[in-house]
Amino acid sequence: CKPLIMNNSLELPISKETRKFLESKHLLFINGEWRESSSGEIIPVIDPATEEKIAEVQSGTKEDVDHAVKSARDALTGEWSKIPSHDRAQILHRLSDEIEANFSTLSEIEVLDNGMPMQLAQYSIASHGVTLLRYYASWAPKIHGKTIPVSPGGAMNGESLTYTKREPIGVVGAIIPWNSPLIFAILKLAPALAAGCTLVLKPAELTPLTALYFGHLIEKSGIPKGVVNIVTGLGETAGDALAKHKDVDKITFTGSTEVGKKIVSSSVGNLKKVTLELGGKSPVVIFKDADLEKTVPGVARACFFLQGQNCMAGTRVFVHEDIHDELVQGVKEMAESFQIGHGLIESNDFGPLISENQRNRVLKYIKQGMAEGANLVYGGKKINEKGFFIQPTIFTEVTGEMKIAKEEIFGPVLSIEKFGNESLEEIAKRANSTTYGLSGSVWTNDISIGHRMAALIDSGQVSINCHAAVDSAIPFGGNKQSGWGREFGEEGLDSYLKTKATTIMY
Ligand code: NAD
């Protein structure tokens, strides 16, 4: 695997450590050992910015998933269960130290695997990865139950004491997408381990590399064997086997709404608990008093961040007609200013889409938008000979019935609609007219309008004068078909715990 040269013959700045990792044999991590898949089959890993193969990983099977689940089950009641919660916290802090020590290698691998710009890889690993692990590490010793006063009567007729304990939910299966691979691995692992659970992680087949590198850091951090298992593989084989497994207590899934529905069906066999973080089509509502100096870059980032391959992306703008033209012009200038290219070149801030399939899907939506009468203001075309690049794309004169306004495109396509003197309720009705409800934002200098509009948007998360305010401590998740449950914050931890009530009669 030495073809890491861009089509313009510019050699990429890749460190020795990253090269060594890419050239090594990538195996499954089960019960603290690295082993081949029972199928003997492999999956090629492609750098989406060059279309070159950069590595090969194992294609895990049902049998491999069975091994991984068994090792997680054994670990659940083994040494791990006896480690005091303060020490569990220390172990998670040690894992964070390992990430910090290997920060530049992890960032390079994330860029090569996913295509994201280096600045974004570095920002997300530092601000979300490490912070999330440390945040949940500090929760571990704070997990406790309650004593509950009960009214006398029936079986409770006498002096008694009732208390609850919070116990780990058990063996967790985590299935994650390709758009922010390392962060999703950490977002699942951190609260699960803080709660005392054990885990089988199934990374996306398109982006398995940082999870595997992370596996080596997990080994170094002193987490007992079997507590974390990593099975790379296809969704319909390894993912399906994990979701259907009768000895898995909970599935935490991030991905498309379509696959989320399959996960729900698969979980029925043993009625395992399910958390789903799914797709989105988030509205951005801009009132005429908004500060355009902040709103224009905010809107451009909300949609084009990660080339629009972002579940929270603010892809549907509703803007007051008085400032429509100025806003469109500003966002167009921002789109024109993006430096498009390989993420390892640090000045680039806009990378490729993840795959040829994804690019074709996005181009199809763009064609549909034009056919349905939307006005293409900017972009819409493939760029570069090599790599799955596409221009940031802006449509105006969009209406709520158009496909580009209703369906999740998962690419850099912004739809802009106008409003005039409608009431807040009427604007909200338009903003809420999709099957999704993940994120959203309101831009105004009127504090009262900001809060009233935020209350009317039917999403799990709404920001005022910013978009997608994500933080370890802020609960995040979807309404409607954007998901079940919440991640991040205390609620995120809660979903890895179960409550046991115990009563003693004196
Ligand atoms: P996807 O649903 O195709 O795949 C996600 C994961 O599910 C992958 O690991 C895949 O291998 C696995 N999978 C596929 N079929 C499966 C099956 N039958 N059984 C079990 N597992 C299966 O999603 P994707 O294309 O990787 O990611 C894009 C989607 O993820 C978008 O819809 C996006 O909105 C969503 N997403 C949501 C959030 C959120 O927090 N709400 C975050 C990121 C991405």
Side-chain angles (χ1 to χ4, degrees), residues 391-457:
Q391 289 176 306
T393 298
I394 304 170
F395 280 110
T396 56
E397 291 165 42
V398 176
T399 62
E401 297 72 44
M402 294 178 183
K403 275 199 170 192
I404 54 166
K406 286 197 294 204
E407 296 180 13
E408 184 184 48
I409 300 175
F410 224 56
V413 181
L414 180 63
S415 296
I416 303 184
E417 300 182 38
K418 277 182 206 172
F419 62 84
N421 294 324
E422 289 109 302
S423 66
L424 295 189
E425 285 72 16
E426 283 165 330
I427 300 166
K429 196 168 167 203
R430 288 172 63 187
N432 290 333
S433 64
T434 72
T435 53
Y436 297 107
L438 191 58
S439 186
S441 57
V442 184
W443 300 77
T444 175
N445 273 328
D446 183 325
I447 195 166
S448 160
I449 287 194
H451 284 289
R452 282 169 59 206
M453 193 68 213
L456 289 168
I457 292 180

Side-chain angles (χ1 to χ4, degrees), residues 201-389:
L201 173 70
K202 209 298 278 172
E205 47 271 53
L206 291 169
T207 56
L209 294 178
T210 34
L212 292 174
Y213 194 87
F214 190 44
H216 294 287
L217 305 184
I218 287 167
E219 257 187 313
K220 283 196 209 165
S221 67
I223 293 175
K225 63 180 190 168
V227 171
V228 181
N229 305 275
I230 304 171
V231 180
T232 51
L234 301 175
E236 56 270 26
T237 48
D240 183 59
L242 192 55
K244 287 190 175 143
H245 206 291
K246 296 250 171 68
D247 208 21
V248 169
D249 299 297
K250 171 190 164 104
I251 288 284
T252 170
F253 172 78
T254 300
S256 61
T257 296
E258 191 192 337
V259 176
K261 289 180 184 177
K262 287 189 191 164
I263 301 280
V264 172
S265 310
S266 302
S267 66
V268 166
N270 68 334
L271 285 182
K272 57 176 73 68
K273 311 292 174 275
V274 177
T275 309
L276 303 172
E277 293 288 355
L278 309 175
K281 189 77 186 169
S282 298
V284 174
V285 181
I286 307 168
F287 290 92
K288 66 178 171 190
D289 67 338
D291 174 352
L292 284 183
E293 263 188 43
K294 289 186 185 145
T295 308
V296 165
V299 169
R301 269 197 303 272
C303 181
F304 299 132
F305 164 79
L306 253 175
Q307 296 81 250
Q309 303 172 121
N310 160 25
C311 55
M312 300 167 286
T315 46
R316 297 160 58 231
V317 163
F318 298 87
V319 56
H320 192 279
E321 58 196 5
D322 288 1
I323 55 165
H324 173 271
D325 293 355
E326 202 181 335
L327 178 99
V328 172
Q329 183 57 28
V331 177
K332 180 169 172 262
E333 282 166 19
M334 292 278 314
E336 282 164 348
S337 74
F338 287 132
Q339 298 286 312
I340 302 177
H342 202 293
L344 284 184
I345 311 295
E346 294 220 16
S347 53
N348 289 335
D349 54 8
F350 194 93
L353 299 188
I354 189 69
S355 64
E356 182 72 62
N357 274 349
Q358 185 67 9
R359 183 167 65 178
N360 288 340
R361 183 186 137 90
V362 175
L363 288 169
K364 199 168 147 202
Y365 272 109
I366 292 172
K367 225 167 136 188
Q368 234 155 13
M370 292 194 284
E372 285 183 310
N375 175 35
L376 181 70
V377 171
Y378 184 74
K381 294 198 184 69
K382 283 182 183 184
I383 36 177
N384 291 5
E385 268 171 43
K386 279 279 178 192
F388 309 120
F389 292 94

